[in-house]
Amino acid sequence: MKDINQFTITQAVKESFKTEPGSRFESLLHGLVEHLHDFTREQNVTHEEWMGVLNFLYDCGKISTPERHEFILLSDVLGWSSLVDMINTKGGATEGSNLGPFYLDNAPVKQLGGNLADERDGVTVLVHGKVSNTLHHPLPGATIDTWQADATGTYPIQEVDQDKYDLRGKFTCDENGRYYYTTVLPKPYTVPYDGPVGVLLRAGTRHAWRAPHMHFIVTAPGMAGITTEIFFKNTEYLDNDAVFGVRQSLIADLKPAKDIDKLGYTLDKKPDAVIEFDFVLAPEG
Amino acid sequence: MKDINQFTITQAVKESFKTEPGSRFESLLHGLVEHLHDFTREQNVTHEEWMGVLNFLYDCGKISTPERHEFILLSDVLGWSSLVDMINTKGGATEGSNLGPFYLDNAPVKQLGGNLADERDGVTVLVHGKVSNTLHHPLPGATIDTWQADATGTYPIQEVDQDKYDLRGKFTCDENGRYYYTTVLPKPYTVPYDGPVGVLLRAGTRHAWRAPHMHFIVTAPGMAGITTEIFFKNTEYLDNDAVFGVRQSLIADLKPAKDIDKLGYTLDKKPDAVIEFDFVLAPEG
């Protein structure tokens, strides 16, 4: 019988999986086992610490529901989600950022120039810009799918007395690849901190606030879609966003609404302020 | 505003936790973040793979109950549990091995020479040996807490019509540090494979069988307790135990019961076979 010890067990575990040599599954599995085992040897993990980790994961499972995925939140606060976004950003394209937990894939279709916020309180802002490819050619017919919090930092989907489709919309860009609509300026909010991830944040004396932002999924035929967020200059938590979502390139200027008539848009509501942000998509594959 | 990218995010996440410099919490947390991020960069993890891992953990949480901890099982099949056992084995002491999911901390107290198996079918075996310290001095009063499967590979706790305290017992060693009792020889069984961990095992064409074994927790005043298992020479799955629990030093000889009168034990039941295994405990701390 072959004996295994704390140094040979890693190879034994890898060999126990009869994976296709060179396959993606093998690479991921072997990498996972190596890092898990290396971490354990480097740290001399005790039984109490080992069980502490497993019970933490158990607790994350127990608080999770189809509407609340505590493991995504854990990934967020460990910067894992953002790292995956960064790695998968294509050269020349707009940087990716957190999808977050509030996306709905069937947001209502809206007309360019429409207002997402109805009569909600807050600063009304015109959000506009161009969607182009990496050669700066506009992409007419590109789709902008956006969702956001309101001026109190709340997503309608979080409230029992609100329509979960509020503050969401899908827009199709015009023949020049332009999009434009009005909405309210969102405020900061906290990620949920009443569960195991909250315990972790408190243990590390970390806050749960996110810098204010709007979410976007931008797609166009033949192009790789992007999931990202737009942030706003001079707002709170840009330097210490709880989920590491902020990138310099994703921070937009927020300017008073003057001379907007020159833009030639037909708007349903008069804005107080303007945000201009251009999205760039790279080819698929 | 400081910008972060796929290389600087690791440091940013570590700094976001205001941990006590040099503390154990800081060391574990920084090690975890570094390995998680290194793995992600090395593998160029995609969004689909990232979400696959998070949904796998979500599913592990959903199938877990107080009686079934899928995260411990996951740790077991990835060799993590065994690696932690190996790292925490003290020099000179008996090697540790899996606690497993079936331990109950209030097993019935039994007298030396008693029979754990009542009238159960199977090979009746005398289990005996000595508990000593690392200088070979016996430890009178040491406690042996044992539990095991039956001759069909089933733990009574898994069956609705059986007493969950069956095939369990706590024994106190005699003045020579000796323990002895009879029981039935356990058979192999499978770890649960009807959940997410089963999906992982099948993806890697791995079986779920454990080599037959008996569980032990051995303690004595002033000594570091050990949690371990005894396996049996020439039985199945010694080389490919599903949870990597087997160590060469934990495999006992299984011999016919002859000349056992010479041992001077008073036994409640006549054994067919004999297993001798000595446990060694190291000092606490």
Side-chain angles (χ1 to χ4, degrees):
Chain A
M1 176 236 163
K2 63 173 191 282
D3 205 15
I4 53 171
N5 59 42
Q6 63 176 287
F7 303 105
T8 59
I9 189 172
T10 307
Q11 189 61 27
V13 172
K14 286 160 64 179
E15 287 174 0
S16 73
F17 290 95
K18 271 70 75 185
T19 45
E20 189 191 332
S23 66
R24 182 67 179 160
F25 178 56
E26 180 178 88
S27 177
L28 289 168
L29 195 62
H30 286 192
L32 172 74
V33 170
E34 281 169 12
H35 277 288
L36 177 66
H37 286 204
D38 283 345
F39 167 78
T40 307
R41 281 183 289 256
E42 287 160 13
Q43 299 283 339
N44 271 317
V45 173
T46 68
H47 279 106
E48 291 70 26
E49 290 160 352
W50 165 79
M51 188 54 85
V53 170
L54 296 178
N55 283 340
F56 179 85
L57 294 172
Y58 182 96
D59 291 343
C60 287
K62 283 303 131 196
I63 207 168
S64 287
T65 63
E67 288 77 37
R68 176 178 182 163
H69 199 315
E70 193 80 358
F71 297 101
I72 294 182
L73 182 60
L74 177 61
S75 165
D76 287 351
V77 304
L78 293 178
W80 194 31
S81 312
S82 275
L83 178 54
V84 172
D85 290 336
M86 289 166 172
I87 283 176
N88 289 287
T89 292
K90 287 174 179 280
T94 300
E95 291 191 83
S97 187
N98 300 56
L99 175 68
F102 299 124
Y103 177 62
L104 293 177
D105 63 4
N106 50 353
V109 171
K110 302 275 171 95
Q111 296 303 310
L112 289 173
N115 178 39
L116 278 192
D118 303 320
E119 295 306 312
R120 286 174 184 274
D121 290 340
V123 174
T124 297
V125 61
L126 166 66
V127 185
H128 76 122
K130 191 176 74 174
V131 180
S132 66
N133 66 18
T134 51
L135 300 172
H136 310 294
H137 296 147
L139 294 168
T143 300
I144 301 268
D145 188 352
T146 184
W147 66 106
Q148 63 169 84
D150 65 17
T152 68
T154 305
Y155 286 80
I157 196 175
Q158 298 175 286
E159 301 293 307
V160 288
D161 60 343
Q162 294 192 31
D163 185 340
K164 66 180 178 178
Y165 291 106
D166 274 4
L167 288 176
R168 296 171 190 271
K170 282 185 184 171
F171 298 92
T172 301
C173 292
D174 68 14
E175 66 279 10
N176 299 313
R178 299 203 67 87
Y179 74 95
Y180 47 96
Y181 62 92
T182 55
T183 185
V184 287
L185 197 62
K187 285 287 182 186
Y189 63 87
T190 60
V191 297
Y193 57 92
D194 58 338
V197 171
V199 173
L200 176 65
L201 291 178
R202 280 189 291 278
T205 326
R206 269 180 64 176
H207 70 74
W209 288 94
R210 293 223 54 201
H213 58 270
M214 295 166 175
H215 289 276
F216 294 90
I217 293 179
V218 186
T219 55
M223 310 303 283
I226 53 168
T227 299
T228 193
E229 301 171 287
I230 295 180
F231 301 88
F232 319 110
K233 208 175 276 187
N234 298 324
T235 55
E236 290 179 281
Y237 308 114
L238 288 176
D239 259 344
N240 54 6
D241 181 59
V243 305
F244 309 94
V246 183
R247 323 267 180 268
Q248 191 74 56
S249 72
L250 300 177
I251 302 177
D253 249 337
L254 191 60
K255 295 178 174 169
K258 55 178 184 182
D259 301 332
I260 59 168
D261 293 344
K262 294 180 189 166
L263 294 167
Y265 301 147
T266 305
L267 300 175
D268 288 351
K269 189 167 185 185
K270 188 176 172 303
D272 308 311
V274 180
I275 289 162
E276 181 170 10
F277 194 89
D278 294 338
F279 295 101
V280 181
L281 305 189
E284 227 165 27
Chain B
M1 176 235 163
K2 62 172 190 284
D3 206 13
I4 53 171
N5 59 41
Q6 63 175 286
F7 303 105
T8 59
I9 189 173
T10 307
Q11 188 62 26
V13 173
K14 286 160 64 178
E15 287 173 2
S16 74
F17 289 95
K18 271 70 76 184
T19 46
E20 189 191 332
S23 66
R24 181 66 180 163
F25 178 56
E26 179 178 270
S27 178
L28 289 168
L29 194 63
H30 287 192
L32 171 73
V33 170
E34 282 169 12
H35 277 288
L36 177 67
H37 287 204
D38 282 345
F39 167 78
T40 306
R41 281 183 288 256
E42 287 161 14
Q43 299 283 338
N44 271 319
V45 173
T46 68
H47 278 106
E48 291 70 25
E49 291 160 351
W50 166 79
M51 188 54 86
V53 170
L54 297 178
N55 284 340
F56 180 84
L57 294 173
Y58 181 96
D59 292 342
C60 287
K62 283 303 134 198
I63 206 170
S64 288
T65 63
E67 289 76 39
R68 176 179 181 162
H69 198 315
E70 192 82 356
F71 296 101
I72 294 182
L73 183 60
L74 178 61
S75 165
D76 288 351
V77 305
L78 293 178
W80 196 30
S81 312
S82 276
L83 178 55
V84 172
D85 290 336
M86 289 167 172
I87 283 176
N88 289 288
T89 293
K90 287 174 179 279
T94 299
E95 290 191 84
S97 186
N98 301 55
L99 175 68
F102 298 124
Y103 177 62
L104 293 176
D105 63 4
N106 51 352
V109 171
K110 301 275 172 95
Q111 297 302 309
L112 289 174
N115 178 39
L116 279 192
D118 302 322
E119 297 306 311
R120 285 172 185 275
D121 289 339
V123 173
T124 297
V125 61
L126 166 66
V127 185
H128 75 124
K130 192 176 73 174
V131 181
S132 67
N133 67 18
T134 51
L135 300 173
H136 309 294
H137 296 146
L139 294 168
T143 301
I144 301 269
D145 189 352
T146 184
W147 68 105
Q148 63 169 83
D150 64 17
T152 68
T154 305
Y155 286 78
I157 197 174
Q158 297 175 286
E159 301 292 308
V160 288
D161 61 343
Q162 293 192 31
D163 184 340
K164 67 180 178 178
Y165 291 105
D166 275 3
L167 287 177
R168 295 171 190 271
K170 283 185 184 171
F171 298 92
T172 302
C173 292
D174 68 13
E175 66 278 11
N176 299 312
R178 297 203 69 86
Y179 73 94
Y180 47 97
Y181 63 91
T182 55
T183 184
V184 288
L185 198 63
K187 285 285 181 187
Y189 63 88
T190 60
V191 298
Y193 56 91
D194 59 338
V197 171
V199 173
L200 176 65
L201 292 177
R202 281 189 291 279
T205 326
R206 270 180 63 175
H207 70 74
W209 287 96
R210 292 223 53 202
H213 59 271
M214 297 167 174
H215 289 277
F216 294 91
I217 293 178
V218 186
T219 53
M223 311 302 285
I226 53 168
T227 299
T228 192
E229 301 173 286
I230 294 180
F231 301 88
F232 319 110
K233 208 175 274 186
N234 299 322
T235 54
E236 291 178 281
Y237 308 114
L238 288 175
D239 259 345
N240 54 5
D241 181 60
V243 304
F244 309 94
V246 183
R247 324 268 180 268
Q248 192 73 57
S249 73
L250 299 178
I251 302 178
D253 250 336
L254 192 59
K255 295 179 174 169
K258 55 178 183 180
D259 301 333
I260 60 166
D261 292 345
K262 293 180 190 168
L263 294 167
Y265 300 147
T266 304
L267 300 176
D268 288 353
K269 188 166 186 185
K270 189 176 172 302
D272 307 312
V274 180
I275 288 162
E276 182 171 9
F277 195 89
D278 294 338
F279 295 101
V280 181
L281 304 189
E284 228 164 29

